[in-house]
Short mmCIF file of all heavy atoms in Angstrom, two decimals:
data_model
loop_
_atom_site.label_atom_id
_atom_site.label_comp_id
_atom_site.label_asym_id
_atom_site.label_seq_id
_atom_site.Cartn_x
_atom_site.Cartn_y
_atom_site.Cartn_z
N VAL V 26 0.85 -1.19 0.00
CA VAL V 26 0.00 0.00 0.00
C VAL V 26 0.88 1.25 0.00
O VAL V 26 1.93 1.26 0.66
CB VAL V 26 -0.91 0.00 1.25
CG1 VAL V 26 -1.87 1.19 1.23
CG2 VAL V 26 -1.70 -1.31 1.32
N PRO V 27 0.50 2.30 -0.72
CA PRO V 27 1.28 3.56 -0.66
C PRO V 27 1.43 4.06 0.78
O PRO V 27 0.46 4.09 1.54
CB PRO V 27 0.43 4.52 -1.50
CG PRO V 27 -0.31 3.64 -2.46
CD PRO V 27 -0.60 2.38 -1.69
N PHE V 28 2.64 4.46 1.12
CA PHE V 28 2.92 4.77 2.51
C PHE V 28 4.20 5.61 2.58
O PHE V 28 5.29 5.08 2.46
CB PHE V 28 3.09 3.46 3.29
CG PHE V 28 3.21 3.61 4.77
CD1 PHE V 28 2.39 4.46 5.49
CD2 PHE V 28 4.16 2.86 5.47
CE1 PHE V 28 2.50 4.56 6.87
CE2 PHE V 28 4.27 2.95 6.85
CZ PHE V 28 3.44 3.81 7.55
N ASP V 29 4.04 6.93 2.74
CA ASP V 29 5.19 7.83 2.77
C ASP V 29 5.47 8.38 4.15
O ASP V 29 6.59 8.82 4.43
CB ASP V 29 4.96 9.00 1.80
CG ASP V 29 4.80 8.51 0.37
OD1 ASP V 29 5.75 7.91 -0.15
OD2 ASP V 29 3.72 8.74 -0.22
N PHE V 30 4.46 8.42 5.02
CA PHE V 30 4.68 8.89 6.39
C PHE V 30 3.67 8.24 7.33
O PHE V 30 2.57 7.87 6.92
CB PHE V 30 4.61 10.42 6.50
CG PHE V 30 3.28 11.02 6.13
CD1 PHE V 30 2.27 11.15 7.08
CD2 PHE V 30 3.04 11.47 4.84
CE1 PHE V 30 1.04 11.72 6.75
CE2 PHE V 30 1.82 12.04 4.50
CZ PHE V 30 0.82 12.15 5.45
N TYR V 31 4.10 8.07 8.56
CA TYR V 31 3.20 7.61 9.61
C TYR V 31 2.97 8.78 10.56
O TYR V 31 3.93 9.42 10.99
CB TYR V 31 3.79 6.43 10.39
CG TYR V 31 2.84 5.91 11.45
CD1 TYR V 31 1.91 4.94 11.14
CD2 TYR V 31 2.85 6.42 12.74
CE1 TYR V 31 1.00 4.47 12.10
CE2 TYR V 31 1.97 5.98 13.70
CZ TYR V 31 1.04 5.00 13.37
OH TYR V 31 0.14 4.57 14.31
N SER V 32 1.71 9.05 10.87
CA SER V 32 1.42 10.19 11.74
C SER V 32 0.73 9.74 13.02
O SER V 32 -0.05 8.79 13.01
CB SER V 32 0.55 11.22 11.01
OG SER V 32 -0.77 10.75 10.86
N TYR V 33 1.07 10.43 14.08
CA TYR V 33 0.41 10.16 15.36
C TYR V 33 0.24 11.46 16.12
O TYR V 33 0.77 12.51 15.73
CB TYR V 33 1.19 9.13 16.17
CG TYR V 33 2.61 9.48 16.54
CD1 TYR V 33 2.91 10.18 17.70
CD2 TYR V 33 3.68 9.06 15.73
CE1 TYR V 33 4.23 10.47 18.05
CE2 TYR V 33 4.99 9.36 16.07
CZ TYR V 33 5.26 10.06 17.22
OH TYR V 33 6.55 10.35 17.56
N HIS V 34 -0.55 11.41 17.18
CA HIS V 34 -0.81 12.57 18.03
C HIS V 34 -0.20 12.32 19.40
O HIS V 34 -0.07 11.19 19.84
CB HIS V 34 -2.31 12.82 18.17
CG HIS V 34 -2.99 13.13 16.88
ND1 HIS V 34 -4.37 13.16 16.73
CD2 HIS V 34 -2.48 13.43 15.65
CE1 HIS V 34 -4.67 13.47 15.48
NE2 HIS V 34 -3.55 13.62 14.80
N TYR V 35 0.16 13.42 20.06
CA TYR V 35 0.64 13.25 21.43
C TYR V 35 0.28 14.46 22.29
O TYR V 35 0.73 15.57 22.04
CB TYR V 35 2.14 13.01 21.50
CG TYR V 35 2.59 12.81 22.93
CD1 TYR V 35 2.13 11.71 23.66
CD2 TYR V 35 3.40 13.73 23.58
CE1 TYR V 35 2.48 11.52 24.98
CE2 TYR V 35 3.75 13.55 24.90
CZ TYR V 35 3.29 12.45 25.60
OH TYR V 35 3.61 12.26 26.91
N TYR V 36 -0.52 14.20 23.29
CA TYR V 36 -0.80 15.16 24.36
C TYR V 36 -0.28 14.54 25.65
O TYR V 36 -0.48 13.36 25.90
CB TYR V 36 -2.30 15.44 24.47
CG TYR V 36 -2.88 16.08 23.24
CD1 TYR V 36 -3.42 15.32 22.20
CD2 TYR V 36 -2.91 17.46 23.10
CE1 TYR V 36 -3.96 15.90 21.07
CE2 TYR V 36 -3.44 18.06 21.97
CZ TYR V 36 -3.97 17.27 20.95
OH TYR V 36 -4.49 17.86 19.83
N ALA V 37 0.35 15.35 26.48
CA ALA V 37 1.04 14.82 27.66
C ALA V 37 0.08 14.61 28.83
O ALA V 37 0.37 14.98 29.96
CB ALA V 37 2.18 15.75 28.05
N ILE V 38 -1.06 13.99 28.57
CA ILE V 38 -2.13 13.92 29.57
C ILE V 38 -1.87 12.88 30.66
O ILE V 38 -2.62 12.82 31.63
CB ILE V 38 -3.49 13.66 28.91
CG1 ILE V 38 -3.47 12.36 28.11
CG2 ILE V 38 -3.89 14.84 28.03
CD1 ILE V 38 -4.81 11.98 27.52
N HIS V 39 -0.85 12.05 30.51
CA HIS V 39 -0.54 11.06 31.53
C HIS V 39 0.61 11.48 32.43
O HIS V 39 0.56 11.28 33.65
CB HIS V 39 -0.23 9.71 30.90
CG HIS V 39 -1.42 9.05 30.27
ND1 HIS V 39 -1.64 9.07 28.91
CD2 HIS V 39 -2.46 8.37 30.80
CE1 HIS V 39 -2.76 8.43 28.64
NE2 HIS V 39 -3.27 7.99 29.76
N THR V 40 1.65 12.06 31.86
CA THR V 40 2.87 12.30 32.62
C THR V 40 3.33 13.76 32.63
O THR V 40 4.19 14.10 33.45
CB THR V 40 4.03 11.46 32.06
OG1 THR V 40 4.37 11.96 30.75
CG2 THR V 40 3.65 9.99 31.97
N ALA V 41 2.85 14.57 31.70
CA ALA V 41 3.34 15.96 31.53
C ALA V 41 4.83 16.00 31.21
O ALA V 41 5.48 17.03 31.40
CB ALA V 41 3.05 16.80 32.78
N ASN V 42 5.37 14.91 30.69
CA ASN V 42 6.81 14.77 30.50
C ASN V 42 7.19 14.87 29.03
O ASN V 42 6.88 13.95 28.25
CB ASN V 42 7.26 13.41 31.07
CG ASN V 42 8.76 13.19 30.93
OD1 ASN V 42 9.51 14.10 30.59
ND2 ASN V 42 9.20 11.98 31.20
N PRO V 43 7.86 15.93 28.59
CA PRO V 43 8.24 16.05 27.17
C PRO V 43 9.25 14.99 26.73
O PRO V 43 9.36 14.71 25.54
CB PRO V 43 8.83 17.45 27.08
CG PRO V 43 9.29 17.78 28.46
CD PRO V 43 8.31 17.11 29.38
N LYS V 44 9.97 14.41 27.68
CA LYS V 44 10.97 13.41 27.32
C LYS V 44 10.34 12.08 26.88
O LYS V 44 11.02 11.22 26.33
CB LYS V 44 11.92 13.16 28.50
CG LYS V 44 12.72 14.40 28.90
CD LYS V 44 13.56 14.14 30.14
CE LYS V 44 14.24 15.42 30.62
NZ LYS V 44 14.99 15.21 31.89
N ASN V 45 9.03 11.92 27.09
CA ASN V 45 8.34 10.71 26.62
C ASN V 45 8.46 10.52 25.12
O ASN V 45 8.28 9.41 24.61
CB ASN V 45 6.87 10.74 27.01
CG ASN V 45 6.60 10.50 28.47
OD1 ASN V 45 5.66 11.04 29.03
ND2 ASN V 45 7.43 9.69 29.12
N ILE V 46 8.74 11.62 24.39
CA ILE V 46 8.82 11.51 22.94
C ILE V 46 9.91 10.53 22.51
O ILE V 46 9.81 9.91 21.45
CB ILE V 46 9.02 12.89 22.30
CG1 ILE V 46 8.82 12.82 20.78
CG2 ILE V 46 10.37 13.47 22.65
CD1 ILE V 46 7.48 12.30 20.35
N TYR V 47 10.94 10.35 23.33
CA TYR V 47 11.98 9.38 22.98
C TYR V 47 11.41 7.96 23.01
O TYR V 47 11.69 7.15 22.11
CB TYR V 47 13.16 9.49 23.94
CG TYR V 47 13.95 10.76 23.80
CD1 TYR V 47 13.82 11.78 24.74
CD2 TYR V 47 14.82 10.96 22.74
CE1 TYR V 47 14.53 12.95 24.62
CE2 TYR V 47 15.54 12.14 22.60
CZ TYR V 47 15.39 13.13 23.55
OH TYR V 47 16.10 14.30 23.42
N GLU V 48 10.63 7.64 24.03
CA GLU V 48 10.00 6.31 24.12
C GLU V 48 9.05 6.08 22.95
O GLU V 48 9.06 5.02 22.31
CB GLU V 48 9.21 6.18 25.42
CG GLU V 48 10.00 6.38 26.69
CD GLU V 48 9.07 6.49 27.89
OE1 GLU V 48 8.53 5.44 28.31
OE2 GLU V 48 8.87 7.62 28.39
N ILE V 49 8.22 7.08 22.68
CA ILE V 49 7.19 6.95 21.65
C ILE V 49 7.82 6.83 20.27
O ILE V 49 7.51 5.93 19.49
CB ILE V 49 6.24 8.15 21.70
CG1 ILE V 49 5.51 8.19 23.04
CG2 ILE V 49 5.25 8.11 20.55
CD1 ILE V 49 4.76 9.49 23.28
N GLN V 50 8.73 7.75 19.95
CA GLN V 50 9.33 7.77 18.63
C GLN V 50 10.17 6.51 18.39
O GLN V 50 10.17 5.96 17.29
CB GLN V 50 10.18 9.03 18.46
CG GLN V 50 10.89 9.15 17.12
CD GLN V 50 9.95 9.27 15.95
OE1 GLN V 50 8.76 9.54 16.11
NE2 GLN V 50 10.46 9.07 14.75
N ASP V 51 10.86 6.04 19.41
CA ASP V 51 11.64 4.82 19.27
C ASP V 51 10.74 3.63 18.97
O ASP V 51 11.09 2.77 18.15
CB ASP V 51 12.44 4.56 20.55
CG ASP V 51 13.28 3.30 20.45
OD1 ASP V 51 14.25 3.29 19.67
OD2 ASP V 51 12.98 2.31 21.16
N TYR V 52 9.58 3.59 19.62
CA TYR V 52 8.63 2.50 19.37
C TYR V 52 8.14 2.52 17.92
O TYR V 52 8.17 1.50 17.22
CB TYR V 52 7.46 2.61 20.34
CG TYR V 52 6.30 1.70 20.03
CD1 TYR V 52 6.42 0.32 20.14
CD2 TYR V 52 5.07 2.21 19.62
CE1 TYR V 52 5.36 -0.53 19.86
CE2 TYR V 52 4.01 1.39 19.34
CZ TYR V 52 4.15 0.02 19.46
OH TYR V 52 3.09 -0.81 19.17
N VAL V 53 7.70 3.69 17.44
CA VAL V 53 7.18 3.79 16.08
C VAL V 53 8.28 3.55 15.06
O VAL V 53 8.12 2.77 14.12
CB VAL V 53 6.55 5.18 15.86
CG1 VAL V 53 6.13 5.35 14.40
CG2 VAL V 53 5.34 5.37 16.77
N ARG V 54 9.44 4.18 15.27
CA ARG V 54 10.53 4.04 14.31
C ARG V 54 11.02 2.59 14.20
O ARG V 54 11.32 2.10 13.10
CB ARG V 54 11.68 4.95 14.75
CG ARG V 54 12.87 5.03 13.80
CD ARG V 54 12.55 5.91 12.61
NE ARG V 54 12.16 5.13 11.44
CZ ARG V 54 11.63 5.68 10.36
NH1 ARG V 54 11.41 6.98 10.29
NH2 ARG V 54 11.29 4.92 9.33
N SER V 55 11.07 1.89 15.33
CA SER V 55 11.54 0.51 15.30
C SER V 55 10.59 -0.38 14.51
O SER V 55 11.03 -1.30 13.81
CB SER V 55 11.69 -0.03 16.73
OG SER V 55 10.43 -0.12 17.39
N ARG V 56 9.29 -0.11 14.58
CA ARG V 56 8.31 -0.91 13.82
C ARG V 56 8.41 -0.60 12.33
O ARG V 56 8.28 -1.50 11.50
CB ARG V 56 6.90 -0.64 14.32
CG ARG V 56 6.44 -1.54 15.46
CD ARG V 56 7.40 -1.58 16.60
NE ARG V 56 6.98 -2.45 17.70
CZ ARG V 56 7.67 -2.59 18.81
NH1 ARG V 56 8.82 -1.93 18.98
NH2 ARG V 56 7.25 -3.39 19.77
N LEU V 57 8.61 0.65 11.99
CA LEU V 57 8.79 1.00 10.58
C LEU V 57 10.04 0.35 10.01
O LEU V 57 10.01 -0.24 8.92
CB LEU V 57 8.86 2.52 10.44
CG LEU V 57 7.57 3.31 10.70
CD1 LEU V 57 7.87 4.80 10.77
CD2 LEU V 57 6.53 3.02 9.63
N ASP V 58 11.14 0.46 10.74
CA ASP V 58 12.40 -0.12 10.25
C ASP V 58 12.32 -1.63 10.15
O ASP V 58 12.90 -2.22 9.22
CB ASP V 58 13.54 0.29 11.19
CG ASP V 58 13.84 1.78 11.14
OD1 ASP V 58 13.32 2.47 10.24
OD2 ASP V 58 14.58 2.26 12.01
N LYS V 59 11.62 -2.26 11.07
CA LYS V 59 11.47 -3.72 11.07
C LYS V 59 10.89 -4.21 9.75
O LYS V 59 11.26 -5.28 9.25
CB LYS V 59 10.59 -4.15 12.23
CG LYS V 59 10.21 -5.61 12.24
CD LYS V 59 9.25 -5.92 13.38
CE LYS V 59 8.76 -7.36 13.34
NZ LYS V 59 7.78 -7.63 14.44
N HIS V 60 9.98 -3.43 9.17
CA HIS V 60 9.32 -3.83 7.93
C HIS V 60 9.93 -3.18 6.70
O HIS V 60 9.32 -3.19 5.62
CB HIS V 60 7.83 -3.51 8.02
CG HIS V 60 7.09 -4.35 9.03
ND1 HIS V 60 6.77 -5.68 8.82
CD2 HIS V 60 6.63 -4.05 10.27
CE1 HIS V 60 6.14 -6.15 9.88
NE2 HIS V 60 6.04 -5.20 10.77
N GLY V 61 11.12 -2.62 6.84
CA GLY V 61 11.82 -2.07 5.70
C GLY V 61 11.40 -0.68 5.30
O GLY V 61 11.66 -0.24 4.17
N PHE V 62 10.74 0.06 6.19
CA PHE V 62 10.27 1.40 5.89
C PHE V 62 11.20 2.47 6.46
O PHE V 62 10.76 3.43 7.09
CB PHE V 62 8.85 1.60 6.43
CG PHE V 62 7.80 0.82 5.68
CD1 PHE V 62 6.95 -0.03 6.37
CD2 PHE V 62 7.65 0.95 4.32
CE1 PHE V 62 5.96 -0.74 5.71
CE2 PHE V 62 6.66 0.23 3.63
CZ PHE V 62 5.82 -0.61 4.32
#
C-alpha cells in the first residue's frame, strides 16, 4: 500500500513529561524499520 509517512498525536495527559517523545518515537521508528520502511 502507498505509505510515505506515519502520523500520530501526542498530548502529555498522563505524565506531563516532554521526554516521553523518545520512548514513543523509538517504538514507532523501530516498527517501521522492522518492515523495511
